[in-house]
């Protein structure tokens, strides 16, 4: 290199950036032969924050002024190309140069600028590449505009340049889904000009630049192209708007994305860019943006468990055992196989084992038919799952997850066997959703190696994993399970031991309140409608039908037998279960279902069962307002969540937010249960909780001391 040197530090110091720490030299400029190389080095993901933006402008100026450079190459150090604007800067005043300014400078550069892409070119990162004159990607690269997932739209020309390269229809699909495309697809679409394999981004970029110089041509800036957008049918936008109104009625930014891409088609580039800016700023100001960005960071924050130092030693997990080949066990086995980890799947009967393996194959077959799995991948995954009746085959497993029948007796017997069979140091996990992990651990001679790994159904789909730390679980075992969660693509959240842990304990209170509302006069349809209007994908009773009414019925039966006073009197759901109305699987539950359909239809038979139940209890139904349904269903959850924090079962509000986001479909644009609660107003919630405690009573309305305290002090929960 002829003239290496850091560039951004001078300009970064001159302008006070909004981020807390600007690295000393995120941008380097150096020349290699006739190519001026601009290298972005801002770990971990080269986010385009203020230091990077000002450094890019300075490096571009240096390259344009460098007489020895005939072309400029933009390349990134580390694991990835720029992964987007620096999200941590959002909501703070933005210091110049802004990203649109940087992008405009690149677009207008008097020398050709080539972007060499590896890892992920996302959001503002891809927008920088789109403003370059040529793009070359490594085969493994992924390119996308995921702003919609943060409640935004691409705000640095992405909605204007992408359609000019790939056409308006594909651009809309990419920007509305936020999902990246691979390098080969990007090449086919015209998003990149070349794909290279088995080399570094620097080498691939230098080769592309040399080719360009040898060729002597000067690629047209994307902003000047119109060939791919000319003749776009306006019906495309009408159809998209109609589709969004149906599929994503709550979301703000998707509708603005359609407006922005339409602007690319109907307005000249400069005016389209101005329209994009307006729409971007409207999204930036929307409360949904703040909620979705909280959700983004929540997913990452939960991996850092308070009190568990970074660098805590972990154990190698190379082989896993799963006990129980039922729906849950099969799904859990798939999670490991999907991550390439061999699984020994144990069941107590040959019949159970065969049914379990057949269900796993059906599941993979359906993914294969949808084109999301190749035949080779399907075979590989099936080959990783070894079914057996013998516990002896678990002798060399590094971790075993028990997913057997929900009974303490059954589980303790299994853990005694595992303790005898498994090698020293093997981690023994239970997938119990209600039972005491400490009591299960006590059945072994190694309680430090026992913990809960609570998967959510369907286990191969749902991203949440509650990692339940028993009283005696060691740090190493907890850290191993948290690391494993990430490895298998789950959001692992560490929680303590209590009935239902965090997620189901809160769900239980919402369920209890939903039932009470129906007993008092609301209909199941009303309760569900209020919850779906809030943004839940399913209302409480639709979810009950999906999970199966018999599940709760059997748990209540167990609790009745155990003498639990709360479970003594059967409710109308028990009556439905006694009549064989188990939910979707029997085409009848709280609702009825046409064969093959999942659409709930209100059923007069259920209304009659509810009415009989009210009569039996001497309840005269009253009109219940939607506002009351909303308050009682949601505030009771907040009150319980606050008690969970008080008790230390969850360490931080963000843990509860992540649990409800990833396990129960809490609407992500609200940020999470407690992020939403803080916005709703803790004072208002505390007042209502006290009122319901006075008027309705019951342990669920006993106000959480923490909630009252935060409300009185005007603090957010967790601050
Ligand atoms: N800004 C700031 N920090 C970011 C970031 C970003 N755009 N992207 C990732 N990070 C941080 C993460 O918070 C995490 O920090 P931590 O280590 O302190 O927890 C760290 O980088 C590593 O991220 P991941 O743990 O997610 O690492 P992975 O390797 O699993 O994934 C990734 C990497 C695919 C880049 C993923 O982080 C990601 O999807 N990032 C977001 C990309 C995105 O949404 N970009 C668009 C931003 S909006 C925009 O560009 C607006 C523009 O149009 C004007």
């Amino acid at each position: 290199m002829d003239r290496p040197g850091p560039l951004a530090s001078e300009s970064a110091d001159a302008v006070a950036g909004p981020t807390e720490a600007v690295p000393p030299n995120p941008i380097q400029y150096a020349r290699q032969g006739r190519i001026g190389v601009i290298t972005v080095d801002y770990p971990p993901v080269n986010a385009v924050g203020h230091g990077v933006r000002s450094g890019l402008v300075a490096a571009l100026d240096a390259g344009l002024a460098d007489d020895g450079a005939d072309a400029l190459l933009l390349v990134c150090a580390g694991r990835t190309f720029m992964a987007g604007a620096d999200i941590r800067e959002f909501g703070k005043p933005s210091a110049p140069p802004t990203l649109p300014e940087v992008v405009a400078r690149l677009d207008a550069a008097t020398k050709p600028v080539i972007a060499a892409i590896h890892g992920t070119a996302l959001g503002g990162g891809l927008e920088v590449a789109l403003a370059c004159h040529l793009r070359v990607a490594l085969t493994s690269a992924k390119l996308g505009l995921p702003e919609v997932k943060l409640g935004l739209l691409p705000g640095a020309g992405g909605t204007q340049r992408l359609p000019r390269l790939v056409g308006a229809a594909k651009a809309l699909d990419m920007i509305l889904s936020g999902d990246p495309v691979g390098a080969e697809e990007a090449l086919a679409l015209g998003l990149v000009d070349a794909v290279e394999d088995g080399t570094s981004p620097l080498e691939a970029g230098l080769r592309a630049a040399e080719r360009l110089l040898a060729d002597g041509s000067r690629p047209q800036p994307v902003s000047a192209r119109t060939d791919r957008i000319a003749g776009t049918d306006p019906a495309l936008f009408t159809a998209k708007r109609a589709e969004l109104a149906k599929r994503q009625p709550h979301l703000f930014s998707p509708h603005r994305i359609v407006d922005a891409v339409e602007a690319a088609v109907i307005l000249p580039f400069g005016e389209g860019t101005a329209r994009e800016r307006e729409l971007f700023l409207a999204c930036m100001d929307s409360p949904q943006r703040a909620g979705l960005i909280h959700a983004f960071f929540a997913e990452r924050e939960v991996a850092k468990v308070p009190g568990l130092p970074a660098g805590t030693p972990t154990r190698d997990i190379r082989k896993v055992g799963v006990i129980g080949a039922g729906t849950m066990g099969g799904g859990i086995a798939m999670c490991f196989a999907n991550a390439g980890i061999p699984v020994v799947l144990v069941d107590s009967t040959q019949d159970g084992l065969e049914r379990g393996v057949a269900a796993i194959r059906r599941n993979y077959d359906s993914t294969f038919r949808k084109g999301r799995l190749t035949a080779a991948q399907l075979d590989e995954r099936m080959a990783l799952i070894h079914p057996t009746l013998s516990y002896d085959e678990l002798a060399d497993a590094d971790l075993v997850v028990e997913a057997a029948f929900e009974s303490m007796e059954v589980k303790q017997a299994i853990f005694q066997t595992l303790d005898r069979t498994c090698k020293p140091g093997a981690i023994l996990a239970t997938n119990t959703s209600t039972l005491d992990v400490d009591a299960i651990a006590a059945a072994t001679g190694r309680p430090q190696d026992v913990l809960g790994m609570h998967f959510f159904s369907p286990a191969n789909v749902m991203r949440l994993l509650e990692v339940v730390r028993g009283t005696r679980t060691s740090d190493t075992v907890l850290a191993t399970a948290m690391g494993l969660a990430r490895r298998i693509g789950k959001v692992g959240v560490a929680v303590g031991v209590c009935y239902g842990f965090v997620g189901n304990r809160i769900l239980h209170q919402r369920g209890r309140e939903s039932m009470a509302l129906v007993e008092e006069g609301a209909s199941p349809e009303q309760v569900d409608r209020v919850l779906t209007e809030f943004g839940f994908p399913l209302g409480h009773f639709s979810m009950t039908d999906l999970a199966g009414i018999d599940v709760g019925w059997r748990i209540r039966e167990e609790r009745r037998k155990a003498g639990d006073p709360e479970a003594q009197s059967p409710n109308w759901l028990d009556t439905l279960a006694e009549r064989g109305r188990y939910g979707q699987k029997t085409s009848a539950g709280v609702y009825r279902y046409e064969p093959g359909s999942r659409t709930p239809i209100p059923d007069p038979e259920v209304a009659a069962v509810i009415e009989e139940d009210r009569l039996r209890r001497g309840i005269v139904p009253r009109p219940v307002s939607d506002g009351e349904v909303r308050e009682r269903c949601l505030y009771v959850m907040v009150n319980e969540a606050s008690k969970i924090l008080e008790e230390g079962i969850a360490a931080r509000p963000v843990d509860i937010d992540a649990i409800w986001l990833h396990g129960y479909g809490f609407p992500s644009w609200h940020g999470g249960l407690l992020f939403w609660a803080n916005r709703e107003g803790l004072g208002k919630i505390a007042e209502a909780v006290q009122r319901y405690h006075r008027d309705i009573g019951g342990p669920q309305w006993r106000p959480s001391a923490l909630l009252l305290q935060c409300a009185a002090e005007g603090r957010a929960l967790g601050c």
Side-chain angles (χ1 to χ4, degrees):
M1 293 230 175
D2 296 347
R3 195 161 55 85
L7 278 165
S9 50
E10 304 96 59
S11 38
D13 288 344
V15 184
T19 42
E20 57 298 348
V22 177
N25 53 348
I27 312 288
Q28 303 268 342
Y29 176 76
R31 188 147 48 71
Q32 294 220 14
R34 293 190 295 160
I35 321 290
V37 181
I38 300 169
T39 308
V40 181
D41 187 3
Y42 184 34
V45 296
N46 293 313
V48 194
H50 175 255
V52 172
R53 294 196 305 272
S54 54
L56 276 174
V57 169
L60 185 64
D61 285 345
L64 294 176
D66 182 357
D67 290 339
D70 295 328
L72 303 177
L73 171 63
L74 178 59
V75 69
C76 290
R79 67 201 227 211
T80 179
F81 194 76
M82 290 166 256
D86 191 333
I87 302 171
R88 290 164 304 178
E89 290 183 356
F90 293 171
K92 301 176 189 168
S94 99
T98 63
L99 195 52
E101 283 160 6
V102 175
V103 156
R105 293 286 304 274
L106 281 164
D107 188 283
T110 48
K111 295 178 185 178
V113 187
I114 295 111
I117 297 166
H118 75 294
T120 41
L122 299 177
L126 180 58
E127 290 176 298
V128 167
L130 289 173
C132 294
H133 306 103
L134 204 76
R135 283 154 297 282
V136 54
L138 298 196
T139 323
S140 53
K142 286 189 162 38
L143 302 88
L145 292 172
E147 285 86 346
V148 68
K149 297 183 181 176
L150 303 175
L152 288 170
L153 53 82
T159 64
Q160 306 303 297
R161 288 191 179 83
L162 189 64
R164 284 176 158 76
L165 282 177
V166 305
K170 182 65 193 176
L172 267 181
D173 283 352
M174 283 181 69
I175 304 174
L176 283 171
S177 73
D179 294 336
V181 295
E184 292 295 349
E185 188 181 350
L187 181 66
L189 289 169
L191 176 51
V192 297
D193 303 281
V195 172
E196 294 230 17
D197 199 7
T199 184
S200 71
L202 178 64
E203 279 168 18
L206 286 173
R207 267 202 296 275
E210 289 296 353
R211 276 197 305 269
L212 186 71
L213 291 179
D215 182 39
S217 65
R218 177 71 212 265
Q220 200 185 21
V222 177
S223 57
R225 285 183 54 178
T226 52
D227 51 308
R228 294 301 306 271
I229 47 175
T232 303
D233 184 352
L236 171 70
F237 302 104
T238 317
K240 264 297 168 224
R241 287 189 176 103
E243 186 188 322
L244 287 176
K246 201 162 153 222
R247 277 199 311 116
Q248 299 185 321
H250 299 95
L251 292 179
F252 185 77
S253 79
H255 302 269
R256 272 82 215 156
I257 287 171
V258 179
D259 295 349
V261 174
E262 187 179 44
V265 169
I266 60 175
L267 297 176
F269 182 79
E271 286 175 38
T273 308
R275 179 82 182 115
E276 175 196 83
R277 192 74 196 149
E278 249 172 58
L279 294 163
F280 175 78
L281 293 176
C283 293
M284 196 54 119
D285 283 346
S286 109
Q288 295 194 352
R289 189 267 307 160
L292 284 159
I293 286 180
H294 175 78
F296 173 86
F297 283 119
E299 183 180 335
R300 284 144 185 92
E301 195 57 29
V302 292
K304 299 160 197 160
V305 181
L308 189 69
T312 299
T314 55
R315 294 184 194 159
D316 263 1
I317 305 294
R318 297 208 186 107
K319 184 173 177 183
V320 163
V322 174
I323 310 286
T327 312
M328 211 57 204
I332 295 171
M334 288 174 75
C335 294
F336 293 114
N338 293 348
I341 303 171
V343 189
V344 177
L345 180 61
V346 183
D347 202 274
S348 52
T349 67
Q350 185 61 33
D351 185 43
L353 208 53
E354 279 168 17
R355 265 188 286 124
V357 172
I360 294 174
R361 177 166 278 285
R362 266 200 312 279
N363 228 312
Y364 278 138
D365 276 341
S366 131
T367 318
F368 166 71
R369 277 197 306 277
K370 288 177 194 149
R372 296 206 301 260
L373 202 66
T374 65
Q377 283 170 328
L378 190 158
D379 290 345
E380 263 167 39
R381 291 184 195 186
M382 285 307 296
L384 282 169
I385 300 173
H386 172 66
T388 177
L389 292 173
S390 166
Y391 275 65
D392 293 344
E393 297 202 44
L394 297 171
D396 62 345
D398 303 301
L399 173 132
V400 178
V401 184
E402 161 277 317
F405 185 65
E406 193 74 350
S407 137
M408 182 57 86
E409 234 177 298
V410 171
K411 291 197 192 270
Q412 284 187 329
I414 291 174
F415 272 72
Q416 278 164 4
T417 311
L418 290 176
D419 196 22
R420 279 195 307 274
T421 321
C422 295
K423 66 184 181 187
I427 296 174
L428 309 182
T430 171
N431 178 53
T432 182
S433 51
T434 52
L435 301 173
D436 181 346
V437 173
D438 288 332
I440 296 172
T444 73
R446 49 171 116 180
Q448 73 285 355
D449 289 342
V450 177
L451 84 172
M453 286 179 77
H454 182 209
F455 290 78
F456 287 74
S457 191
N460 53 314
V461 175
M462 298 300 289
R463 292 198 66 214
L464 176 63
L465 179 64
E466 282 183 329
V467 178
V468 188
R469 180 181 205 163
T471 316
R472 296 184 59 189
T473 308
S474 75
D475 279 2
T476 294
V477 168
L478 179 65
T480 305
M482 292 297 292
L484 184 62
R486 191 175 163 96
R487 195 170 146 205
I488 62 175
K490 300 285 178 204
V491 178
V493 186
V495 302
V497 176
C498 68
Y499 183 81
F501 312 121
V502 172
N504 281 348
R505 180 168 151 184
I506 295 172
L507 179 69
H508 179 68
Q509 298 301 10
R510 192 186 75 177
R512 171 199 266 208
E513 214 48 33
S514 302
M515 289 295 287
L517 283 160
V518 171
E519 280 161 15
E520 289 169 39
S523 66
E525 302 86 272
Q526 183 191 6
V527 173
D528 281 2
R529 179 178 45 73
V530 172
L531 290 174
T532 50
E533 279 172 5
F534 179 75
F536 281 101
L538 289 177
H540 187 81
F541 294 106
S542 295
M543 201 176 99
T544 308
D545 270 358
L546 182 67
I549 297 180
D550 51 323
V551 178
W553 178 48
R554 282 184 222 287
I555 292 175
R556 279 192 295 279
E557 285 289 303
E558 282 266 317
R559 288 171 62 198
R560 257 193 286 282
K561 276 190 231 148
D564 182 341
E566 259 193 59
Q568 287 317 302
S569 147
N571 59 37
W572 57 270
L573 275 183
D574 295 328
T575 311
L576 295 184
E578 279 159 17
R579 294 188 184 181
R581 296 185 67 120
Y582 289 170
Q584 280 193 19
K585 59 187 160 192
T586 55
S587 296
V590 179
Y591 300 97
R592 68 180 183 83
Y593 301 84
E594 294 294 340
S597 160
R598 288 172 180 270
T599 308
I601 304 168
D603 190 340
E605 182 185 333
V606 176
V609 169
I610 293 170
E611 199 42 56
E612 279 162 29
D613 187 65
R614 287 180 188 138
L615 271 173
R616 193 166 48 79
R617 291 166 195 257
I619 297 169
V620 180
R622 64 178 173 88
V624 177
S625 72
D626 286 358
E628 183 178 343
V629 173
R630 182 180 182 277
E631 270 195 4
R632 284 176 61 182
C633 286
L634 294 170
Y635 291 6
V636 81
M637 292 168 69
V638 174
N639 194 41
E640 195 64 25
S642 180
K643 289 178 190 170
I644 285 171
L645 286 174
E646 256 169 60
E647 294 165 26
I649 299 293
R652 301 158 297 183
V654 75
D655 294 312
I656 297 177
D657 284 347
I659 286 173
W660 267 77
L661 284 166
H662 297 286
Y664 301 85
F666 193 88
S668 51
W669 63 91
H670 288 310
L673 176 63
L674 294 180
F675 186 83
W676 169 81
N678 285 327
R679 287 189 150 189
E680 174 86 350
L682 296 188
K684 184 175 163 192
I685 297 176
E687 179 279 314
V689 167
Q690 292 175 95
R691 177 162 36 85
Y692 288 127
H693 185 228
R694 197 183 54 234
D695 297 350
I696 303 172
Q700 74 277 24
W701 288 114
R702 180 182 56 74
S704 147
L706 178 67
L707 176 67
L708 296 186
Q709 191 189 344
C710 288
E713 293 170 9
R715 282 193 289 130
L717 273 167
C719 295

